[in-house]
Amino acid sequence: MFHSPSGPSSRLWRPGDRPFRALILSNTCRICRSVTSVFQLRCEVQTYAWGKRGTSSEVASLIQSADPSFSIDEEQTYAELWMGTHPRGASVIAKTNTSLEQWISQNPECLGSKVMERFSGKLPFLFKVLSVNISLSIQAHPNKALAEELHRRDAAHYADSNHKPEMAIALSAFEGLCGFRPAAEIAEHLQSE
């Protein structure tokens, strides 16, 4: 729920709602903290091999609901929908065709003073919707300090200097594993093989 100048709104979007619009809330009133503007974003789709194909992909369905002219290819995988400022898939404000990164740099107060100071006026996250068809490999992400160092040393393999904290919220049936077996149990299993 958020407060708006004309009163509270019950929600922006919930799974199952159509049409989907990626929105950025901006131009917050400094006195009452109410939202005075909302912008629609055009977001990037990543077509990794592990994504669901065609209309079975929630990512493809979300993009099509925001852009009816988007044609879903039944042979194409649609793995991730990215909303943010990542250099390999930055969002754009639909009405002005301005990149989200450029808009934030011109309106840094939209981040709030603490985020603006801590992250040097940059959006500190990349919001993703995933549509997973096959199991994904184990992913280990560095903390912020290591991410900055890796990016400085090898920008070709570490495209940005951000850490990768993650949270999963299932929009449809989802199975996930987190963590490892205790080291002693892994060693015992390896020895018995």
Side-chain angles (χ1 to χ4, degrees):
M1 181 165 342
F2 73 98
H3 173 80
S4 69
S6 59
S9 172
S10 61
R11 61 190 174 150
L12 287 177
W13 179 82
R14 289 190 185 140
D17 287 354
R18 293 294 189 260
F20 173 81
R21 299 286 192 260
L23 304 171
I24 182 169
L25 305 178
S26 64
N27 299 339
T28 306
C29 171
R30 294 179 193 280
I31 298 168
C32 69
R33 300 276 182 219
S34 65
V35 176
T36 58
S37 296
V38 177
F39 299 105
Q40 181 179 342
L41 298 177
R42 282 197 319 268
C43 304
E44 289 294 318
V45 175
Q46 305 299 329
T47 56
Y48 306 130
W50 51 262
K52 288 187 177 179
R53 292 190 182 279
T55 52
S56 69
S57 171
E58 188 66 18
V59 166
S61 296
L62 290 172
I63 286 294
Q64 189 174 54
S65 69
D67 179 5
S69 69
F70 178 78
S71 178
I72 298 174
D73 178 349
E74 290 300 329
E75 298 302 313
Q76 179 63 58
T77 57
Y78 300 93
E80 296 183 355
L81 177 64
W82 287 13
M83 291 165 259
T85 59
H86 193 284
R88 292 187 182 160
S91 297
V92 172
I93 297 172
K95 188 174 184 179
T96 63
N97 218 27
T98 305
S99 75
L100 181 57
E101 183 173 34
Q102 180 183 357
W103 187 86
I104 290 171
S105 72
Q106 294 168 350
N107 300 276
E109 69 281 354
C110 73
L111 298 173
S113 60
K114 290 180 182 178
V115 172
M116 189 170 57
E117 182 181 325
R118 181 172 178 192
F119 297 99
S120 305
K122 304 285 185 195
L123 186 65
F125 63 88
L126 175 62
F127 183 88
K128 297 180 182 181
V129 175
L130 278 64
S131 191
V132 181
N133 189 43
I134 58 174
S135 297
L136 298 175
S137 61
I138 293 174
Q139 296 187 9
H141 296 300
N143 62 25
K144 179 68 172 160
L146 181 56
E148 289 172 344
E149 174 64 20
L150 292 170
H151 177 68
R152 186 186 62 72
R153 284 191 298 178
D154 186 6
H157 290 99
Y158 299 92
D160 66 57
S161 61
N162 288 312
H163 57 315
K164 308 287 190 278
E166 295 185 349
M167 171 177 40
I169 301 171
L171 300 180
S172 60
F174 178 81
E175 209 174 293
L177 303 173
C178 182
F180 296 94
R181 291 182 180 194
E185 193 176 321
I186 293 170
E188 181 183 319
H189 180 75
L190 291 172
Q191 289 171 357
S192 67
E193 291 293 314

